[in-house]
Amino acid sequence: MPQTADTNRRVVLAERPNGLPDAKTLQLQHNPVPQPGAGQMLLRTRYLSLDPYMRGRMNDAKSYAEPVKLGEVMTGQVVAEVIQSNCDGYAVGDHVLAGSGWQDYALSDGTDLSNLGQAPHNPSWYLGILGMPAYTAYAGLLEIGAPQPGETVVVAAASGPVGATVGQIAKIMGCRVVGIAGGAEKCAHVVDNLGFDACLDHKSEAFAADLKDACPKGVDIYFENVGGKVLYAVLPLLNAFARMPVCGVVSWYNLTGLPDGPDFGPAIMGTILRMKVKVQGFIIYDSFPASLFQDFIRDMTRWLDSGEVRYKEQMIDGLEHAPEALNDLLLGNSFGKMVVKVG
């Protein structure tokens, strides 16, 4: 059903998944629209971001953030419109960036909101190329990867919102950029539209050999957001003093135990030691100074205006389709930044 003025659809975590989320994991509920009190405003969700981290938040395990509680609205970043306001500094019609999750309506007192104004251009972009995914790419590559002209940068999930941005920024920095994606269509997009020097299909039986051929001078920076066989193929190619920013390991998020196959722990740790590799994990909101975000907005706006950075968005129509779309994202079946048009 479409969004209405008198019903608040909420997608809640009903069960903790064992592996890939299924039909019992997330449930759609219908509730009355909440009413704002003093010092509050009512937000109507327009766009919902879908991101790999959401799978981890379904687990009852120690992490960088508290897990979603059973019966609680699934977490997520949204662009919402202010429908009613009793908050200073926010007017009806303002669009805001909020963390109100998978629901049509939410109350807010203005804490942790970003006001985007009355009519932001491409509002959904604040969930992608002007938001968390692209900022992850910018900060991880420039602050941890520290690319230098002529270096070789390898990017996993290169057609996704983070990987695509990493590669394009690396090209701006004068690097040779090799992407990794799933399927010929995505690889062609990465080379033809995003300007990477090469892109390899990780589904190919010759993937490891192809990657070696594409990196004749080895790998100086590997931007890690996938893990699994992609990581194992990159390891032997890492140069001395290589850098590996780590923002995700999506291929392992649905594991219920140790991965199948041999134990790669010794190979990973041995390579880090012998090649003096810098490996640094990071969570975008607490790993860098707040001032860096303003640098990101300045630079990204300029790169978008000049055409040096291009952006692909996959729009899903309807909140009720979000659970299925999230699974597509986790399985590598998305193409571009996945956003749900809620209302």
Side-chain angles (χ1 to χ4, degrees), residues 59-117:
N59 296 332
D60 188 11
K62 182 179 180 180
S63 185
Y64 63 90
E66 290 294 321
V68 178
K69 296 180 175 64
L70 292 178
E72 191 174 79
V73 172
M74 187 60 202
T75 188
Q77 196 169 47
V78 309
V79 170
E81 183 180 354
V82 178
I83 302 300
Q84 300 177 45
S85 179
N86 299 320
C87 283
D88 293 338
Y90 293 92
V92 171
D94 281 350
H95 285 67
V96 298
L97 190 63
S100 49
W102 296 31
Q103 58 184 336
D104 285 318
Y105 295 92
L107 298 178
S108 173
D109 63 1
T111 303
D112 296 329
L113 294 188
S114 296
N115 195 334
L116 306 179

Side-chain angles (χ1 to χ4, degrees), residues 14-25:
E15 291 185 2
R16 300 203 184 277
N18 183 23
L20 191 70
D22 60 24
K24 296 181 179 179
T25 303

Side-chain angles (χ1 to χ4, degrees), residues 204-266:
S204 168
E205 292 183 1
F207 166 63
D210 292 343
L211 181 61
K212 183 177 180 180
D213 290 343
C215 303
K217 296 183 179 180
V219 176
D220 300 295
I221 301 171
Y222 171 50
F223 197 101
E224 173 64 293
N225 53 10
V226 169
K229 68 177 184 180
V230 174
L231 170 62
Y232 305 150
V234 172
L235 278 175
L237 307 179
L238 292 174
N239 291 330
F241 299 104
R243 289 84 72 198
M244 189 188 302
V246 180
C247 75
V249 285
V250 67
S251 72
W252 290 326
Y253 285 168
N254 289 310
L255 288 178
T256 58
L258 293 176
D260 293 334
D263 179 6
F264 282 90

